[in-house]
Amino acid sequence: MELEKRELSGREKDEASVKLLRKLREQLYSSDASNRRRAAYKLSWMQEDGLDILKTSLFGNCPVPTRNAAAYGLRKMRGRMKKMALEVLRQGLKHRDNDIRGICSNALQLLGQKVPKSSIHKKPPVSHLAIRELPSKNRPGRRVVTRRTRR
């Protein structure tokens, strides 16, 4: 005899969704790259709850690979959450952390959005006071001696 599938009540649905969100959040912080990416993609389908988890992962105190996965999840948002995800990525351009600014500008460029030049992750300028070798004043410059061959 097989048991029939029964309808879940509102409370059971909430418990199941909380368990799923907790599991996906743990996978987002995983050390395996494919697990992180898969969890971010699944969170992108979770509407407000997924957006909230991805946003806290991007702006929170977490490693860069987790932030990259969160940006991936924000890029993959669909439907009515797409505009909100783009706004979160634009907020990241104004963040004080260079890593977050670089991740968000890269994500927006991948989406085909215009990114202001000032927010693009740049290398620091080369110092004008670079240390270099100076020739000695007492010692004459080296002469390069070449060997002459007889013909």
Side-chain angles (χ1 to χ4, degrees):
M1 182 171 124
E2 284 186 25
L3 294 175
E4 293 180 19
K5 290 187 178 181
R6 62 184 185 84
E7 294 294 319
L8 296 176
S9 67
R11 184 173 176 210
E12 290 172 331
K13 284 181 185 177
D14 289 340
E15 288 177 13
S17 64
V18 167
K19 286 180 185 178
L20 178 63
L21 289 171
R22 187 177 299 132
K23 177 185 162 194
L24 290 174
R25 186 171 183 270
E26 288 172 4
Q27 287 179 351
L28 188 63
Y29 286 84
S30 171
S31 62
D32 185 22
S34 63
N35 282 348
R36 284 191 305 264
R37 198 171 176 101
R38 223 176 294 126
Y41 182 77
K42 288 179 183 177
L43 283 169
S44 72
W45 286 91
M46 297 288 182
Q47 301 294 320
E48 288 92 0
D49 296 329
L51 179 72
D52 187 42
I53 290 173
L54 292 172
K55 184 177 177 179
T56 56
S57 298
L58 181 65
F59 295 129
N61 187 15
C62 57
V64 173
T66 302
R67 290 178 179 169
N68 282 325
Y72 173 78
L74 290 170
R75 281 189 351 235
K76 295 297 176 182
M77 282 280 182
R78 299 286 180 243
R80 65 187 179 95
M81 302 306 289
K82 182 75 172 181
K83 288 181 183 177
M84 292 182 205
L86 285 173
E87 187 58 37
V88 169
L89 289 173
R90 286 190 191 109
Q91 287 174 3
L93 294 176
K94 299 171 187 161
H95 202 271
R96 63 181 173 359
D97 189 1
N98 284 338
D99 290 334
I100 295 174
R101 279 197 312 259
I103 289 168
C104 290
S105 68
N106 188 31
L108 286 171
Q109 285 175 350
L110 288 172
L111 287 171
Q113 300 286 321
K114 296 278 184 178
V115 180
K117 297 272 186 193
S118 62
S119 63
I120 295 177
H121 192 62
K122 301 183 229 179
K123 292 182 182 178
V126 178
S127 174
H128 296 292
L129 302 174
I131 298 173
R132 58 182 174 221
E133 188 94 17
L134 295 176
S136 174
K137 292 182 181 179
N138 297 339
R139 202 167 124 198
R142 289 187 175 182
R143 286 189 343 190
V144 178
V145 178
T146 58
R147 189 177 231 186
R148 293 187 203 172
T149 57
R150 293 186 184 185
R151 290 186 189 176

PDB file of all heavy atoms in Angstrom, residues 5-28:
ATOM      1  N   LYS A   5       0.540  11.434  -1.289  1.00  0.00           N
ATOM      2  CA  LYS A   5       1.232  12.675  -0.934  1.00  0.00           C
ATOM      3  C   LYS A   5       0.201  13.645  -0.387  1.00  0.00           C
ATOM      4  O   LYS A   5      -0.844  13.851  -0.990  1.00  0.00           O
ATOM      5  CB  LYS A   5       1.914  13.284  -2.155  1.00  0.00           C
ATOM      6  CG  LYS A   5       3.093  12.493  -2.626  1.00  0.00           C
ATOM      7  CD  LYS A   5       3.810  13.220  -3.717  1.00  0.00           C
ATOM      8  CE  LYS A   5       5.015  12.430  -4.144  1.00  0.00           C
ATOM      9  NZ  LYS A   5       5.771  13.098  -5.197  1.00  0.00           N
ATOM     10  N   ARG A   6       0.511  14.198   0.740  1.00  0.00           N
ATOM     11  CA  ARG A   6      -0.445  15.118   1.334  1.00  0.00           C
ATOM     12  C   ARG A   6       0.032  16.545   1.142  1.00  0.00           C
ATOM     13  O   ARG A   6       1.216  16.806   0.927  1.00  0.00           O
ATOM     14  CB  ARG A   6      -0.639  14.821   2.815  1.00  0.00           C
ATOM     15  CG  ARG A   6       0.598  14.985   3.641  1.00  0.00           C
ATOM     16  CD  ARG A   6       0.331  14.571   5.092  1.00  0.00           C
ATOM     17  NE  ARG A   6       1.478  14.832   5.906  1.00  0.00           N
ATOM     18  CZ  ARG A   6       1.762  16.001   6.466  1.00  0.00           C
ATOM     19  NH1 ARG A   6       0.952  17.018   6.288  1.00  0.00           N
ATOM     20  NH2 ARG A   6       2.836  16.171   7.199  1.00  0.00           N
ATOM     21  N   GLU A   7      -0.869  17.449   1.218  1.00  0.00           N
ATOM     22  CA  GLU A   7      -0.560  18.864   1.081  1.00  0.00           C
ATOM     23  C   GLU A   7       0.119  19.358   2.364  1.00  0.00           C
ATOM     24  O   GLU A   7      -0.271  18.986   3.464  1.00  0.00           O
ATOM     25  CB  GLU A   7      -1.841  19.672   0.851  1.00  0.00           C
ATOM     26  CG  GLU A   7      -2.522  19.369  -0.459  1.00  0.00           C
ATOM     27  CD  GLU A   7      -1.695  19.809  -1.648  1.00  0.00           C
ATOM     28  OE1 GLU A   7      -1.103  20.897  -1.591  1.00  0.00           O
ATOM     29  OE2 GLU A   7      -1.632  19.054  -2.623  1.00  0.00           O
ATOM     30  N   LEU A   8       1.117  20.182   2.187  1.00  0.00           N
ATOM     31  CA  LEU A   8       1.805  20.739   3.342  1.00  0.00           C
ATOM     32  C   LEU A   8       1.037  21.941   3.864  1.00  0.00           C
ATOM     33  O   LEU A   8       0.506  22.741   3.099  1.00  0.00           O
ATOM     34  CB  LEU A   8       3.221  21.176   2.962  1.00  0.00           C
ATOM     35  CG  LEU A   8       4.182  20.075   2.511  1.00  0.00           C
ATOM     36  CD1 LEU A   8       5.496  20.680   2.079  1.00  0.00           C
ATOM     37  CD2 LEU A   8       4.407  19.086   3.635  1.00  0.00           C
ATOM     38  N   SER A   9       0.988  22.048   5.163  1.00  0.00           N
ATOM     39  CA  SER A   9       0.338  23.216   5.749  1.00  0.00           C
ATOM     40  C   SER A   9       1.293  24.406   5.670  1.00  0.00           C
ATOM     41  O   SER A   9       2.467  24.264   5.327  1.00  0.00           O
ATOM     42  CB  SER A   9      -0.033  22.929   7.210  1.00  0.00           C
ATOM     43  OG  SER A   9       1.136  22.789   7.975  1.00  0.00           O
ATOM     44  N   GLY A  10       0.812  25.567   5.993  1.00  0.00           N
ATOM     45  CA  GLY A  10       1.622  26.784   5.912  1.00  0.00           C
ATOM     46  C   GLY A  10       2.850  26.723   6.803  1.00  0.00           C
ATOM     47  O   GLY A  10       3.942  27.133   6.434  1.00  0.00           O
ATOM     48  N   ARG A  11       2.676  26.159   7.995  1.00  0.00           N
ATOM     49  CA  ARG A  11       3.800  26.084   8.933  1.00  0.00           C
ATOM     50  C   ARG A  11       4.854  25.104   8.426  1.00  0.00           C
ATOM     51  O   ARG A  11       6.052  25.361   8.533  1.00  0.00           O
ATOM     52  CB  ARG A  11       3.278  25.658  10.300  1.00  0.00           C
ATOM     53  CG  ARG A  11       4.341  25.641  11.338  1.00  0.00           C
ATOM     54  CD  ARG A  11       3.760  25.382  12.693  1.00  0.00           C
ATOM     55  NE  ARG A  11       4.838  25.281  13.645  1.00  0.00           N
ATOM     56  CZ  ARG A  11       4.800  24.546  14.725  1.00  0.00           C
ATOM     57  NH1 ARG A  11       3.726  23.874  15.028  1.00  0.00           N
ATOM     58  NH2 ARG A  11       5.830  24.496  15.533  1.00  0.00           N
ATOM     59  N   GLU A  12       4.440  23.980   7.880  1.00  0.00           N
ATOM     60  CA  GLU A  12       5.387  22.996   7.361  1.00  0.00           C
ATOM     61  C   GLU A  12       6.137  23.540   6.149  1.00  0.00           C
ATOM     62  O   GLU A  12       7.306  23.257   5.961  1.00  0.00           O
ATOM     63  CB  GLU A  12       4.660  21.701   7.015  1.00  0.00           C
ATOM     64  CG  GLU A  12       4.176  20.948   8.227  1.00  0.00           C
ATOM     65  CD  GLU A  12       3.299  19.775   7.853  1.00  0.00           C
ATOM     66  OE1 GLU A  12       2.624  19.837   6.803  1.00  0.00           O
ATOM     67  OE2 GLU A  12       3.289  18.794   8.610  1.00  0.00           O
ATOM     68  N   LYS A  13       5.452  24.333   5.316  1.00  0.00           N
ATOM     69  CA  LYS A  13       6.112  24.944   4.172  1.00  0.00           C
ATOM     70  C   LYS A  13       7.204  25.894   4.647  1.00  0.00           C
ATOM     71  O   LYS A  13       8.291  25.941   4.090  1.00  0.00           O
ATOM     72  CB  LYS A  13       5.105  25.706   3.308  1.00  0.00           C
ATOM     73  CG  LYS A  13       4.234  24.835   2.461  1.00  0.00           C
ATOM     74  CD  LYS A  13       3.308  25.701   1.627  1.00  0.00           C
ATOM     75  CE  LYS A  13       2.336  24.863   0.853  1.00  0.00           C
ATOM     76  NZ  LYS A  13       1.381  25.691   0.104  1.00  0.00           N
ATOM     77  N   ASP A  14       6.888  26.680   5.669  1.00  0.00           N
ATOM     78  CA  ASP A  14       7.874  27.616   6.192  1.00  0.00           C
ATOM     79  C   ASP A  14       9.082  26.891   6.761  1.00  0.00           C
ATOM     80  O   ASP A  14      10.219  27.305   6.546  1.00  0.00           O
ATOM     81  CB  ASP A  14       7.256  28.514   7.262  1.00  0.00           C
ATOM     82  CG  ASP A  14       6.277  29.515   6.672  1.00  0.00           C
ATOM     83  OD1 ASP A  14       6.365  29.763   5.451  1.00  0.00           O
ATOM     84  OD2 ASP A  14       5.441  30.034   7.426  1.00  0.00           O
ATOM     85  N   GLU A  15       8.845  25.810   7.495  1.00  0.00           N
ATOM     86  CA  GLU A  15       9.953  25.041   8.061  1.00  0.00           C
ATOM     87  C   GLU A  15      10.821  24.439   6.959  1.00  0.00           C
ATOM     88  O   GLU A  15      12.045  24.442   7.045  1.00  0.00           O
ATOM     89  CB  GLU A  15       9.425  23.943   8.981  1.00  0.00           C
ATOM     90  CG  GLU A  15       8.867  24.448  10.284  1.00  0.00           C
ATOM     91  CD  GLU A  15       8.292  23.337  11.134  1.00  0.00           C
ATOM     92  OE1 GLU A  15       8.549  22.154  10.832  1.00  0.00           O
ATOM     93  OE2 GLU A  15       7.589  23.658  12.109  1.00  0.00           O
ATOM     94  N   ALA A  16      10.172  23.936   5.913  1.00  0.00           N
ATOM     95  CA  ALA A  16      10.929  23.346   4.804  1.00  0.00           C
ATOM     96  C   ALA A  16      11.741  24.409   4.072  1.00  0.00           C
ATOM     97  O   ALA A  16      12.902  24.175   3.721  1.00  0.00           O
ATOM     98  CB  ALA A  16       9.974  22.661   3.834  1.00  0.00           C
ATOM     99  N   SER A  17      11.156  25.582   3.875  1.00  0.00           N
ATOM    100  CA  SER A  17      11.899  26.638   3.178  1.00  0.00           C
ATOM    101  C   SER A  17      13.048  27.158   4.036  1.00  0.00           C
ATOM    102  O   SER A  17      14.121  27.472   3.519  1.00  0.00           O
ATOM    103  CB  SER A  17      10.964  27.770   2.762  1.00  0.00           C
ATOM    104  OG  SER A  17      10.414  28.407   3.891  1.00  0.00           O
ATOM    105  N   VAL A  18      12.846  27.233   5.348  1.00  0.00           N
ATOM    106  CA  VAL A  18      13.927  27.675   6.239  1.00  0.00           C
ATOM    107  C   VAL A  18      15.079  26.682   6.197  1.00  0.00           C
ATOM    108  O   VAL A  18      16.252  27.067   6.135  1.00  0.00           O
ATOM    109  CB  VAL A  18      13.394  27.868   7.678  1.00  0.00           C
ATOM    110  CG1 VAL A  18      14.531  28.004   8.670  1.00  0.00           C
ATOM    111  CG2 VAL A  18      12.492  29.085   7.740  1.00  0.00           C
ATOM    112  N   LYS A  19      14.756  25.396   6.197  1.00  0.00           N
ATOM    113  CA  LYS A  19      15.804  24.367   6.118  1.00  0.00           C
ATOM    114  C   LYS A  19      16.554  24.453   4.795  1.00  0.00           C
ATOM    115  O   LYS A  19      17.779  24.345   4.757  1.00  0.00           O
ATOM    116  CB  LYS A  19      15.199  22.969   6.282  1.00  0.00           C
ATOM    117  CG  LYS A  19      14.796  22.638   7.681  1.00  0.00           C
ATOM    118  CD  LYS A  19      14.212  21.236   7.759  1.00  0.00           C
ATOM    119  CE  LYS A  19      13.695  20.939   9.149  1.00  0.00           C
ATOM    120  NZ  LYS A  19      13.083  19.599   9.231  1.00  0.00           N
ATOM    121  N   LEU A  20      15.814  24.662   3.713  1.00  0.00           N
ATOM    122  CA  LEU A  20      16.445  24.772   2.402  1.00  0.00           C
ATOM    123  C   LEU A  20      17.340  25.999   2.321  1.00  0.00           C
ATOM    124  O   LEU A  20      18.470  25.918   1.829  1.00  0.00           O
ATOM    125  CB  LEU A  20      15.381  24.829   1.304  1.00  0.00           C
ATOM    126  CG  LEU A  20      15.903  25.002  -0.120  1.00  0.00           C
ATOM    127  CD1 LEU A  20      16.758  23.805  -0.534  1.00  0.00           C
ATOM    128  CD2 LEU A  20      14.755  25.197  -1.084  1.00  0.00           C
ATOM    129  N   LEU A  21      16.865  27.125   2.818  1.00  0.00           N
ATOM    130  CA  LEU A  21      17.677  28.349   2.800  1.00  0.00           C
ATOM    131  C   LEU A  21      18.925  28.199   3.661  1.00  0.00           C
ATOM    132  O   LEU A  21      20.003  28.667   3.286  1.00  0.00           O
ATOM    133  CB  LEU A  21      16.847  29.551   3.258  1.00  0.00           C
ATOM    134  CG  LEU A  21      15.780  30.030   2.278  1.00  0.00           C
ATOM    135  CD1 LEU A  21      14.887  31.059   2.933  1.00  0.00           C
ATOM    136  CD2 LEU A  21      16.419  30.598   1.025  1.00  0.00           C
ATOM    137  N   ARG A  22      18.796  27.546   4.798  1.00  0.00           N
ATOM    138  CA  ARG A  22      19.955  27.320   5.665  1.00  0.00           C
ATOM    139  C   ARG A  22      20.985  26.436   4.954  1.00  0.00           C
ATOM    140  O   ARG A  22      22.189  26.712   4.990  1.00  0.00           O
ATOM    141  CB  ARG A  22      19.509  26.674   6.971  1.00  0.00           C
ATOM    142  CG  ARG A  22      20.636  26.553   7.992  1.00  0.00           C
ATOM    143  CD  ARG A  22      20.154  25.981   9.306  1.00  0.00           C
ATOM    144  NE  ARG A  22      19.139  26.839   9.897  1.00  0.00           N
ATOM    145  CZ  ARG A  22      17.969  26.392  10.380  1.00  0.00           C
ATOM    146  NH1 ARG A  22      17.669  25.109  10.326  1.00  0.00           N
ATOM    147  NH2 ARG A  22      17.103  27.218  10.909  1.00  0.00           N
ATOM    148  N   LYS A  23      20.491  25.396   4.277  1.00  0.00           N
ATOM    149  CA  LYS A  23      21.383  24.482   3.550  1.00  0.00           C
ATOM    150  C   LYS A  23      22.094  25.205   2.404  1.00  0.00           C
ATOM    151  O   LYS A  23      23.310  25.056   2.215  1.00  0.00           O
ATOM    152  CB  LYS A  23      20.563  23.310   3.004  1.00  0.00           C
ATOM    153  CG  LYS A  23      21.352  22.336   2.177  1.00  0.00           C
ATOM    154  CD  LYS A  23      20.425  21.286   1.600  1.00  0.00           C
ATOM    155  CE  LYS A  23      21.106  20.590   0.453  1.00  0.00           C
ATOM    156  NZ  LYS A  23      20.191  19.806  -0.342  1.00  0.00           N
ATOM    157  N   LEU A  24      21.343  26.032   1.657  1.00  0.00           N
ATOM    158  CA  LEU A  24      21.951  26.765   0.546  1.00  0.00           C
ATOM    159  C   LEU A  24      22.959  27.802   1.034  1.00  0.00           C
ATOM    160  O   LEU A  24      23.989  28.031   0.401  1.00  0.00           O
ATOM    161  CB  LEU A  24      20.867  27.435  -0.306  1.00  0.00           C
ATOM    162  CG  LEU A  24      20.005  26.494  -1.127  1.00  0.00           C
ATOM    163  CD1 LEU A  24      18.890  27.264  -1.811  1.00  0.00           C
ATOM    164  CD2 LEU A  24      20.845  25.741  -2.142  1.00  0.00           C
ATOM    165  N   ARG A  25      22.666  28.414   2.178  1.00  0.00           N
ATOM    166  CA  ARG A  25      23.607  29.396   2.739  1.00  0.00           C
ATOM    167  C   ARG A  25      24.914  28.715   3.149  1.00  0.00           C
ATOM    168  O   ARG A  25      25.995  29.240   2.925  1.00  0.00           O
ATOM    169  CB  ARG A  25      22.978  30.097   3.936  1.00  0.00           C
ATOM    170  CG  ARG A  25      23.821  31.221   4.475  1.00  0.00           C
ATOM    171  CD  ARG A  25      23.053  32.015   5.509  1.00  0.00           C
ATOM    172  NE  ARG A  25      23.834  33.124   5.967  1.00  0.00           N
ATOM    173  CZ  ARG A  25      24.662  33.091   6.991  1.00  0.00           C
ATOM    174  NH1 ARG A  25      24.811  31.975   7.675  1.00  0.00           N
ATOM    175  NH2 ARG A  25      25.348  34.159   7.354  1.00  0.00           N
ATOM    176  N   GLU A  26      24.810  27.530   3.741  1.00  0.00           N
ATOM    177  CA  GLU A  26      26.010  26.778   4.113  1.00  0.00           C
ATOM    178  C   GLU A  26      26.797  26.379   2.871  1.00  0.00           C
ATOM    179  O   GLU A  26      28.029  26.433   2.867  1.00  0.00           O
ATOM    180  CB  GLU A  26      25.628  25.538   4.913  1.00  0.00           C
ATOM    181  CG  GLU A  26      25.144  25.832   6.314  1.00  0.00           C
ATOM    182  CD  GLU A  26      24.604  24.602   7.013  1.00  0.00           C
ATOM    183  OE1 GLU A  26      24.677  23.497   6.432  1.00  0.00           O
ATOM    184  OE2 GLU A  26      24.099  24.752   8.139  1.00  0.00           O
ATOM    185  N   GLN A  27      26.106  25.998   1.807  1.00  0.00           N
ATOM    186  CA  GLN A  27      26.793  25.628   0.570  1.00  0.00           C
ATOM    187  C   GLN A  27      27.448  26.837  -0.087  1.00  0.00           C
ATOM    188  O   GLN A  27      28.472  26.706  -0.748  1.00  0.00           O
ATOM    189  CB  GLN A  27      25.818  24.977  -0.406  1.00  0.00           C
ATOM    190  CG  GLN A  27      25.412  23.591  -0.013  1.00  0.00           C
ATOM    191  CD  GLN A  27      24.422  22.985  -0.991  1.00  0.00           C
ATOM    192  OE1 GLN A  27      23.921  23.654  -1.871  1.00  0.00           O
ATOM    193  NE2 GLN A  27      24.138  21.699  -0.796  1.00  0.00           N
ATOM    194  N   LEU A  28      26.866  28.022   0.099  1.00  0.00           N
ATOM    195  CA  LEU A  28      27.449  29.242  -0.461  1.00  0.00           C
ATOM    196  C   LEU A  28      28.802  29.544   0.183  1.00  0.00           C
ATOM    197  O   LEU A  28      29.696  30.083  -0.461  1.00  0.00           O
ATOM    198  CB  LEU A  28      26.492  30.418  -0.264  1.00  0.00           C
ATOM    199  CG  LEU A  28      26.841  31.729  -0.946  1.00  0.00           C
ATOM    200  CD1 LEU A  28      26.837  31.560  -2.460  1.00  0.00           C
ATOM    201  CD2 LEU A  28      25.870  32.811  -0.538  1.00  0.00           C
TER     202      LEU A  28
END
